């Protein structure tokens, strides 16, 4: 094997190893970004659910207030 062929083979091997390292690095970065996105989505979903429950509770309180004002609420019915 000539020196040129040896050098070409060595360069090819180094290039292939470096390419594999870069691919692995990109995969790691993509996985980390996916994990952060999933965590942010979970936090957003929890926040929206909590806010929805608060709005529902406030609306129910308003309905009860109107019913009581009109005399048809649970507090005003005869038992």
């Amino acid at each position: 094997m000539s020196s040129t062929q040896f050098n070409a083979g060595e360069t090819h091997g180094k290039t292939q190893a470096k390419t594999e390292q870069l691919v692995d690095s990109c995969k790691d970065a993509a996985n980390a970004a996916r994990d952060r996105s999933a965590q942010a989505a979970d936090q957003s979903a929890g926040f929206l659910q909590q806010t929805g429950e608060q709005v529902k509770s406030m609306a129910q309180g308003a309905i009860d207030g109107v019913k009581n004002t009109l005399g048809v609420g649970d507090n005003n019915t005869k038992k």
Side-chain angles (χ1 to χ4, degrees), residues 32-45:
R34 183 196 64 223
D35 292 345
R36 285 191 302 271
S37 295
Q39 184 180 15
D42 288 345
Q43 289 175 348
S44 294

Side-chain angles (χ1 to χ4, degrees), residues 5-67:
Q5 289 174 325
F6 177 78
N7 288 340
E10 185 178 18
T11 300
H12 176 73
K14 288 180 180 180
T15 302
Q16 187 174 2
K18 186 67 173 174
T19 300
E20 289 173 5
Q21 288 175 347
L22 289 172
V23 168
D24 288 343
S25 176
C26 288
K27 285 180 183 178
D28 291 345
N31 286 335
R34 183 196 64 223
D35 292 345
R36 285 191 302 271
S37 295
Q39 184 180 15
D42 288 345
Q43 289 175 348
S44 294
F47 172 76
L48 291 174
Q49 182 177 4
Q50 182 180 9
T51 302
E53 291 296 325
Q54 289 173 344
V55 169
K56 180 180 170 184
S57 177
M58 288 171 38
Q60 186 61 51
I63 290 170
D64 291 343
V66 170
K67 284 181 178 180

Side-chain angles (χ1 to χ4, degrees), residues 61-77:
I63 290 170
D64 291 343
V66 170
K67 284 181 178 180
N68 287 332
T69 299
L70 297 175
V72 293
D74 290 337
N75 294 339
N76 296 321
T77 55

